[in-house]
C-alpha cells in the first residue's frame, strides 16, 4: 500500500448534484481532481486529457460506476435523456503521489462491483457530508486517502474462478448455490456433472487439470476446514459439527478429519494454540476458491 506516502489536500466534503433529463454540463478545464459516482440515471462523460496529443475519450457512467477526472483535464457530461440523474462528487488536490503512478496512468473509471469496498467508502463520505462537523471533515480527508489509493492501485481481488473451464465453473457455481441454500451438505459429483452437462469422469478430469484435485476432494477440504473452525469456535458437539459440515456419521467424520489434520476432532477442540486449519487448502492453492464458495450470494438489484 502507498497510503502513508500519498498526500492530499484541499478536499471538501462530498456533495450531491441533480440534473434534469437531457441536460449537460461543461466542457470545463479542471483546476483540481474530481471523483464522481452515479446514484441514479446515467451520463456520457467525455474526457480530454491535459496532454495535447491525446484524443477525447467517451465513457458511459451508470449507478455503480466511479470516475476520476484529473487536474488539467477537460470534461463534459451529457446526462440521461430520459430520466433525471443524480451523482455525488468530491474535489481534491494531490500534493505528493508517494508510490502512486503518474495521474496520466490512473484509470478513468472503476466499477463498484470490481471492488465493493469503493462503494462502502463512497457511502461513508456521503454520511460524513451529512454530518458537516469539523471532525467529519477530518475523517472525510482520511477516507479520501484510502479511496484514492484503492481506486488507483487496488488491490482488485483476483477472481479464483476466472479462467476455469466451463464445466468446472458451472459446477462450482452450483456448489455455491447449494451451500447457500442447504448448508455444507455432501454434494455428489454426479449431481454437479449433471448440472454441467458432462460425465462424472470428464468433470473429474477437468477439475484435476485446472485445480490439481478432483471435485470430491476439493469440496471435502472446504468442509473439513469449516468443521475444524467450528470445533474451536462453537460449543456444538463433535456429532453436531460433523452433521453441519456434511458428515452425518460421527465415526466417518472422525476418520476423514484425522486423515487431513493428524488428530481427532475432539483433540482439535482442546488445542490451545493457533492451528492453521486453512493450511491444506493453502498448500493446494485452493484457499481463495474456498473463500469464494463460502461467500454469501448477494441478490441482484
Amino acid at each position: 500500500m502507498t497510503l502513508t506516502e500519498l498526500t492530499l489536500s484541499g478536499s471538501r466534503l462530498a456533495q450531491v448534484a441533480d440534473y434534469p433529463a437531457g441536460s449537460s454540463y461543461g466542457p470545463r478545464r479542471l483546476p483540481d481532481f474530481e471523483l464522481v459516482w452515479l446514484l441514479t440515471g446515467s451520463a456520457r462523460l467525455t474526457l480530454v486529457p491535459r496532454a495535447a496529443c491525446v484524443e477525447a475519450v467517451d465513457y458511459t457512467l451508470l449507478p455503480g460506476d466511479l470516475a476520476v477526472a484529473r487536474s488539467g483535464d477537460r470534461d463534459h457530461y451529457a446526462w440521461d435523456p430520459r430520466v433525471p440523474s443524480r451523482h455525488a462528487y468530491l474535489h481534491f488536490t494531490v500534493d505528493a503521489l508517494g508510490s502512486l503512478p503518474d495521474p496520466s496512468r490512473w484509470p478513468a473509471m472503476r466499477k463498484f462491483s470490481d471492488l465493493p469496498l469503493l462503494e462502502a467508502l463512497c457511502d461513508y463520505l456521503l454520511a460524513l457530508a451529512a454530518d458537516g462537523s469539523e471532525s467529519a471533515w477530518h475523517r472525510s480527508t482520511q477516507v479520501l486517502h484510502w479511496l484514492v489509493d484503492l481506486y488507483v492501485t487496488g488491490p482488485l481481488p483476483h477472481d479464483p474462478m476466472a479462467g476455469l473451464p466451463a464445466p468446472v465453473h458451472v459446477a462450482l457455481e452450483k456448489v455455491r448455490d447449494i451451500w447457500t441454500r442447504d448448508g455444507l451438505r455432501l454434494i455428489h459429483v454426479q449431481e454437479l456433472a449433471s448440472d454441467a452437462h458432462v460425465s462424472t469422469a470428464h468433470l473429474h478430469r477437468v477439475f484435476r487439470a485446472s485445480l490439481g484435485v478432483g471435485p470430491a476432494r476439493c469440496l471435502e477440504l472446504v468442509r473439513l476446514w469449516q468443521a475444524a473452525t467450528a470445533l474451536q469456535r462453537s460449543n456444538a458437539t463433535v456429532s453436531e459439527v460433523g452433521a453441519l459440515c456434511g458428515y452425518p456419521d460421527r465415526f466417518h467424520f472422525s476418520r476423514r478429519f484425522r486423515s487431513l489434520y493428524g488428530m481427532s476432532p475432539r483433540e482439535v477442540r482442546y488445542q490451545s494454540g493457533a492451528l492453521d486449519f486453512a493450511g491444506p487448502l493453502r498448500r493446494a492453492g485452493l484457499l481463495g476458491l474456498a473463500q469464494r464458495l463460502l461467500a454469501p450470494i448477494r441478490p441482484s438489484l
Side-chain angles (χ1 to χ4, degrees):
M1 294 290 291
T2 58
L3 189 59
T4 56
E5 302 168 349
L6 174 66
T7 305
L8 307 177
S9 66
S11 59
R12 291 172 281 179
L13 291 170
Q15 300 182 65
V16 174
D18 289 283
Y19 292 90
S23 61
S24 64
Y25 179 49
R28 59 172 178 166
R29 182 75 69 179
L30 280 166
D32 53 12
F33 289 74
E34 183 182 50
L35 283 166
V36 171
W37 59 102
L38 265 288
L39 302 175
T40 61
S42 68
R44 187 180 73 250
L45 168 62
T46 301
L47 277 179
V48 182
R50 58 184 174 182
C53 60
V54 179
E55 296 182 354
V57 181
D58 287 335
Y59 301 92
T60 298
L61 301 182
L62 300 170
D65 292 336
L66 175 64
V68 63
R70 298 153 299 192
S71 175
D73 287 355
R74 185 187 300 115
D75 65 355
H76 178 265
Y77 290 89
W79 301 101
D80 196 308
R82 300 158 301 172
V83 297
S85 296
R86 170 176 291 179
H87 77 90
Y89 65 98
L90 190 152
H91 288 267
F92 63 94
T93 58
V94 178
D95 298 316
L97 285 167
S99 298
L100 289 185
D102 185 85
S104 63
R105 295 165 53 195
W106 292 10
M109 189 176 74
R110 294 279 199 201
K111 291 187 175 296
F112 288 154
S113 58
D114 293 334
L115 186 57
L117 181 56
L118 291 176
E119 182 174 18
L121 292 173
C122 286
D123 288 344
Y124 190 30
L125 286 171
L126 287 176
L128 291 169
D131 181 290
S133 65
E134 185 71 15
S135 61
W137 184 87
H138 287 296
R139 180 53 60 92
S140 178
T141 302
Q142 294 173 333
V143 174
L144 178 63
H145 276 72
W146 276 102
L147 182 60
V148 171
D149 185 89
L150 289 168
Y151 177 94
V152 176
T153 65
L156 296 178
H158 169 70
D159 183 354
M161 291 172 59
L164 292 176
V168 177
H169 196 281
V170 170
L172 291 175
E173 288 292 356
K174 180 68 173 180
V175 170
R176 290 189 71 207
D177 180 62
I178 291 173
W179 282 355
T180 297
R181 185 183 66 243
D182 303 338
L184 297 181
R185 71 167 174 86
L186 174 66
I187 304 174
H188 294 288
V189 177
Q190 295 92 326
E191 184 177 356
L192 299 179
S194 175
D195 208 66
H197 304 291
V198 296
S199 68
T200 56
H202 180 71
L203 185 62
H204 186 83
R205 284 195 298 272
V206 292
F207 250 86
R208 287 198 63 86
S210 55
L211 297 175
V213 296
R217 180 59 172 171
C218 176
L219 301 189
E220 181 174 58
L221 288 174
V222 181
R223 291 189 293 127
L224 289 174
W225 171 43
Q226 289 302 284
T229 302
L231 286 166
Q232 283 212 327
R233 297 189 63 84
S234 80
N235 293 325
T237 66
V238 170
S239 295
E240 288 170 339
V241 169
L244 178 71
C245 298
Y247 295 91
D249 184 300
R250 173 177 175 172
F251 297 103
H252 178 60
F253 170 51
S254 295
R255 285 195 301 272
R256 299 306 300 163
F257 192 93
R258 183 184 289 276
S259 72
L260 182 64
Y261 290 112
M263 61 184 74
S264 72
R266 184 174 295 276
E267 289 171 326
V268 164
R269 163 147 282 172
Y270 295 107
Q271 287 287 327
S272 58
L275 301 178
D276 183 16
F277 297 129
L281 282 162
R282 186 179 294 105
R283 289 189 290 274
L286 298 173
L287 183 56
L289 178 62
Q291 292 168 330
R292 171 67 182 274
L293 292 177
L294 297 172
I297 299 176
R298 304 189 186 281
S300 304
L301 295 179

